[in-house]
Amino acid sequence: MTNTRKTTKQFTSTSTHTGKLSVLISGASVAGPALAHWLHRHGFEATIVERAPALRDGGYAVDFRGHAHLSVLRRMGILDTVQRARTGMGSMSYVNTTGKSVAKLPADLFAGDVEILRGDLAHILYDETSPYTEYLFGDSIASLTEDANGVAVTFERHAPRRFDLVIGADGLHSTTRRLAFGPEKDFVKHLGVYCAIFTTANHLGLDRTGHAYRTANRMVAMYSARDNTEAKAVFYFGSPALDLDRHDVTRQQTLLTEQFAGTGWQSDRLLHDMRHAPDFYFDSVSQVRMDRWSRGRVALLGDAAYCPSSLSGMGSGLALVGAYVLAGELAAARGDYTVAFARYEREMRAYAEGCQKMGDGVAGLMVPSSRFAATALNRYYKVMPYLPGKNMAAKIARRAAENITLRDYPSA
């Protein structure tokens, strides 16, 4: 497992000793390691700080679709590795309370060209970058103080350091964004839905497929994972923003039980399994909307800057494209961050907003407000394969994913 590497440097700039631009990245999930890869490719030096004590294995499946996403994976040299770890998911069925299929959705509607578990992707990116990237696990940024020569950073655990630039790739609840731009409430837009996911036994014997049960304002689903040896349980429920401690797992699981107990299908079985799950994720379904993604020597990347929501199916692909563009613009500007950050925003703004549109309106389809609406949606999905526009949703998603022309950037 990953080891935390400590440092004894006291506000010493890495660039002072190596001549390389030194960049601190907050977040070791997807966007952060992807950025570290490209920074190294362009001759810069990256350090990643991650609050978790090690890589997070859990999470939902993420997908990549279209030329832009696959092109970045190919240029990184990891496309073949990602494809070997792909979920291979097929169609997904909506079921009634007895488990009988009432509608079926094709795989290309939600799985893209390549689908992989987020935890598996994180390990691939870590294995690729750890030989040349310093990782500081079990820590987080405490303060940022910028001056003409760099950013002085204090950490919760490690000794203070100094870097040329700081990039926040630390997700929806970004610490970097809060320190550099202001409180979360100014930028995070709640979409009216909460989501929970955890790993469980594949007791339904699902074979690269999933089942979903939907009722008024709630949906519970289960799909196979890792060659059918396990499964992921997913819960969605509609709610206005809640005053919850996002680190209080016990309260989150209690709330989920209150929402889903007795609602039918596999709900009660999965709620029981939840208490023994090796991982558990709970959060709001939200987007991040910001007028600008940089301030001085600090910039944001991925969900920290332009989270499209987990319902969009675009978050990981958008993060990888953003990492490619941000590092490339820094290389093209020869480390001049004022020029590079402006170009990064110009290249990515329309693309990010298009990806965010894929998450708009989806919440109502996931958790319809009434039992009547849920039944009507199931009936629509049942006849959808026979309708003239049956592939329209998948085509719209692909157009959004491909709506950017990637520049070729200089290499070191």
Side-chain angles (χ1 to χ4, degrees):
M1 188 53 72
T2 305
N3 292 321
T4 300
R5 294 201 288 173
K6 296 184 178 181
T7 177
T8 57
K9 297 180 181 178
Q10 298 288 332
F11 283 120
T12 56
S13 173
T14 305
S15 59
T16 300
H17 301 289
T18 67
K20 296 180 179 180
L21 189 78
S22 64
V23 183
L24 174 66
I25 303 168
S26 178
S29 181
V30 174
L35 179 63
H37 167 91
W38 289 112
L39 289 174
H40 174 75
R41 186 83 67 91
H42 294 305
F44 303 136
E45 193 166 84
T47 296
I48 295 180
V49 59
E50 165 60 45
R51 180 183 296 277
L55 293 178
R56 295 185 175 98
D57 285 325
Y60 42 79
V62 300
D63 55 85
F64 303 99
R65 69 183 73 224
H67 174 73
H69 293 180
L70 298 184
S71 176
V72 172
L73 289 170
R74 187 176 293 109
R75 295 183 192 199
M76 293 178 73
I78 63 172
L79 178 57
D80 289 345
T81 306
V82 169
Q83 288 179 325
R84 285 194 295 271
R86 66 194 304 170
T87 63
M89 287 288 288
S91 59
M92 184 163 185
S93 297
Y94 282 97
V95 300
N96 61 20
T97 189
T98 66
K100 180 182 178 181
S101 177
V102 296
K104 186 172 290 188
L105 293 180
D108 62 351
L109 185 61
F110 54 86
D113 295 313
V114 181
E115 184 183 66
I116 182 174
L117 294 180
R118 188 211 58 78
D120 291 348
L121 177 62
H123 277 279
I124 290 171
L125 291 170
Y126 174 78
D127 290 344
E128 165 66 25
T129 57
S130 58
Y132 50 77
T133 302
E134 180 184 22
Y135 277 82
L136 306 176
F137 283 94
D139 207 350
S140 182
I141 298 173
S143 71
L144 300 169
T145 304
E146 181 178 339
D147 57 35
N149 298 313
V151 185
V153 181
T154 62
F155 299 96
E156 292 181 357
R157 291 185 57 246
H158 284 80
R161 297 272 291 274
R162 189 176 184 85
F163 298 88
D164 294 312
L165 303 175
V166 175
I167 308 297
D170 39 359
L172 177 65
H173 305 291
S174 170
T175 296
T176 312
R177 186 183 62 227
R178 174 177 56 80
L179 292 173
F181 294 85
E184 181 174 300
K185 64 181 179 61
D186 292 346
F187 309 109
V188 175
K189 174 188 175 184
H190 178 53
L191 298 185
V193 176
Y194 280 83
C195 172
I197 183 168
F198 54 88
T199 301
T200 187
N202 185 9
H203 65 267
L204 293 181
L206 300 172
D207 184 7
R208 289 177 172 80
T209 188
H211 290 171
Y213 171 71
R214 190 162 43 192
T215 186
N217 215 35
R218 292 165 181 80
M219 189 186 84
V220 57
M222 181 176 166
Y223 59 88
S224 61
R226 296 202 170 105
D227 295 325
N228 304 326
T229 60
E230 62 185 37
K232 299 292 182 179
V234 187
F235 291 79
Y236 287 98
F237 68 92
S239 171
L242 300 172
D243 184 16
L244 283 175
D245 180 351
R246 62 189 183 90
H247 301 295
D248 188 349
V249 172
T250 300
R251 176 68 187 109
Q252 293 164 3
Q253 293 184 344
T254 299
L255 174 63
L256 207 63
T257 300
E258 293 169 352
Q259 290 285 334
F260 285 90
T263 57
W265 188 51
Q266 297 289 319
S267 297
D268 289 342
R269 165 70 185 267
L270 293 175
L271 289 171
H272 175 271
D273 293 347
M274 171 185 69
R275 301 291 181 173
H276 310 284
D279 51 47
F280 180 80
Y281 168 87
F282 179 97
D283 209 341
S284 66
V285 176
S286 301
Q287 293 184 340
V288 173
R289 302 294 182 93
M290 302 185 72
D291 293 334
R292 58 181 304 178
W293 305 328
S294 63
R295 176 167 292 175
R297 292 175 176 268
V298 180
L300 301 176
L301 172 66
D303 281 358
Y306 33 77
C307 175
S309 90
S310 57
L311 297 182
S312 71
M314 295 289 177
S316 294
L318 181 55
L320 290 190
V321 172
Y324 172 81
V325 173
L326 176 54
E329 293 298 343
L330 281 167
R334 298 181 181 275
D336 185 339
Y337 65 91
T338 59
V339 173
F341 289 169
R343 289 177 177 170
Y344 158 64
E345 295 202 25
R346 186 169 62 246
E347 290 290 319
M348 288 293 297
R349 175 68 63 175
Y351 183 59
E353 291 176 350
C355 291
Q356 286 183 322
K357 288 180 181 178
M358 294 305 302
D360 293 339
V362 178
L365 298 176
M366 295 292 287
V367 287
S369 58
S370 67
R371 188 180 297 274
F372 172 80
T375 301
L377 274 173
N378 286 342
R379 289 174 177 170
Y380 169 73
Y381 288 148
K382 187 174 183 178
V383 302
M384 187 176 68
Y386 309 102
L387 299 177
K390 62 181 179 179
N391 298 321
M392 184 62 67
K395 289 179 178 178
I396 292 173
R398 182 170 295 275
R399 281 200 298 268
E402 293 182 333
N403 191 31
I404 188 171
T405 300
L406 298 177
R407 294 177 57 194
D408 289 325
Y409 293 106
S411 297

